[in-house]
Amino acid sequence: MKIGFIGLGIMGKPMVRKLIAGGYTDVLVWNRSRPAIEACVSFGAAEATPRQIGTECDVVITMLPDSPQVKEVMLGNQGLAQYMKPGAVFVDCSSINPVVSREIYGVLQEKGVEMLDAPVSGGEPKAIDGTLSFMVGGKESVFLRLKPLLLAMGSSAVRCGEVGAGNTAKLANQIVVASNIWAVAEALTLAEKAGVDPNLVFQAIRGGLAGSAVLEAKGPMMLTGDDKPGFKVDLHIKDLNNALACAHSVGAPVPAAAAVQEILQWLHSHGYGNCDHSALIKYYSHLTEG
């Protein structure tokens, strides 16, 4: 199986490394910046143009920022859709609007190309250690055929329905994560302002019902002021924009998502857009100054 991978950023680069380590050694890569390509070549991948990837590969994987970039790569003037061969599969691991996933799938179906929308949860740390969670939309037969490939990069892969269902699940995931980060920031701020050591509060609550993967991953970052991005504020803004748009189109009320989106937007406006989303606690620091 020859695999193409486009988008070698914070997530894509370690995913390529895990693919190759998992035995998928025939991997062609492309990215806009050369350092990421060179890093993947050092892992054992081969550099290729998008056209080569579309023409030669049995599976094409993308990990791109948002809907416009995925549409351009697949359906633009030099888009891969015009080069991919019948029977090939497009696996989009980007987190985008499910409406766009279905639009791309419609074009690919006319060419005999299959698609899975397979966004991930776990951020950079889980991409590095190969324990990402894949939320997948697409035909069951295609999913089952490519599930071993996904599990080379992750610890779980769940089919949620047809194309678009994966990104719908990811939007739900991002609402839960954002709301949890918001709650952790608020709770640790309360502890500090009440004169109780937030580190001890973290230790006290982590073993109870308040314990969560978000608390374990983001609590220590908030406590130490570590805002090196595993998942950037700006990317979470993008995901919640997609969640709000989807929610509005289907009539789903999402007031918590809207509220935390406003806080994330404040962070962006104050220069924290490239920080980890755990930097949300800085909003509370701003509110409590003085």
Side-chain angles (χ1 to χ4, degrees), residues 56-119:
E56 298 178 19
C57 292
D58 305 295
V59 177
V60 174
I61 303 172
T62 52
M63 176 55 89
L64 298 166
D66 202 356
S67 304
Q69 291 81 15
V70 179
K71 282 189 69 173
E72 178 62 26
V73 165
M74 292 305 297
L75 306 183
N77 289 335
Q78 299 298 316
L80 271 68
Q82 61 189 297
Y83 304 119
M84 292 179 72
K85 55 195 176 187
V89 183
F90 171 49
V91 180
D92 182 29
C93 294
S94 318
S95 297
I96 68 173
N97 192 318
V99 173
V100 175
S101 296
R102 289 190 287 267
E103 178 186 348
I104 294 170
Y105 181 52
V107 174
L108 293 178
Q109 282 283 275
E110 295 175 359
K111 300 175 179 295
V113 175
E114 288 297 338
M115 176 178 171
L116 298 176
D117 63 311

Side-chain angles (χ1 to χ4, degrees), residues 17-257:
R17 187 169 198 161
K18 282 297 177 182
L19 268 179
I20 293 170
Y24 296 92
T25 55
D26 198 356
V27 180
L28 304 183
V29 297
W30 183 83
N31 195 64
R32 288 187 302 176
S33 62
R34 288 214 52 80
I37 294 175
E38 291 165 359
C40 288
V41 168
S42 75
F43 305 154
E47 180 180 357
T49 65
R51 181 169 184 165
Q52 286 175 297
I53 288 173
T55 302
E56 298 178 19
C57 292
D58 305 295
V59 177
V60 174
I61 303 172
T62 52
M63 176 55 89
L64 298 166
D66 202 356
S67 304
Q69 291 81 15
V70 179
K71 282 189 69 173
E72 178 62 26
V73 165
M74 292 305 297
L75 306 183
N77 289 335
Q78 299 298 316
L80 271 68
Q82 61 189 297
Y83 304 119
M84 292 179 72
K85 55 195 176 187
V89 183
F90 171 49
V91 180
D92 182 29
C93 294
S94 318
S95 297
I96 68 173
N97 192 318
V99 173
V100 175
S101 296
R102 289 190 287 267
E103 178 186 348
I104 294 170
Y105 181 52
V107 174
L108 293 178
Q109 282 283 275
E110 295 175 359
K111 300 175 179 295
V113 175
E114 288 297 338
M115 176 178 171
L116 298 176
D117 63 311
V120 302
S121 178
E124 183 184 20
K126 290 187 178 294
I128 290 171
D129 64 21
T131 57
L132 292 169
S133 295
F134 287 86
M135 295 150 272
V136 187
K139 291 178 181 176
E140 185 172 15
S141 59
V142 178
F143 167 70
L144 292 175
R145 177 155 54 95
L146 294 187
K147 187 176 181 180
L149 182 151
L150 298 178
L151 292 179
M153 302 177 283
S155 58
S156 72
V158 177
R159 178 181 176 269
C160 301
E162 299 301 321
V163 169
N167 270 305
T168 301
K170 178 59 186 287
L171 296 182
N173 179 86
Q174 293 304 78
I175 290 174
V176 173
V177 171
S179 300
N180 269 261
I181 292 174
W182 180 21
V184 172
E186 200 161 285
L188 295 180
T189 300
L190 167 65
E192 182 179 17
K193 297 303 290 183
V196 180
D197 185 345
N199 290 278
L200 296 178
V201 170
F202 169 72
Q203 293 297 332
I205 68 176
R206 64 193 298 201
L209 190 58
S212 68
V214 168
L215 179 64
E216 290 297 316
K218 304 304 178 179
M221 295 180 73
M222 294 181 187
L223 292 168
T224 61
D226 176 13
D227 56 17
K228 179 181 179 294
F231 193 79
K232 294 179 181 179
V233 165
D234 281 350
L235 288 176
H236 215 135
I237 289 172
K238 177 266 295 185
D239 285 346
L240 289 184
N241 280 337
N242 284 334
L244 291 168
C246 181
H248 295 161
S249 69
V250 300
V254 286

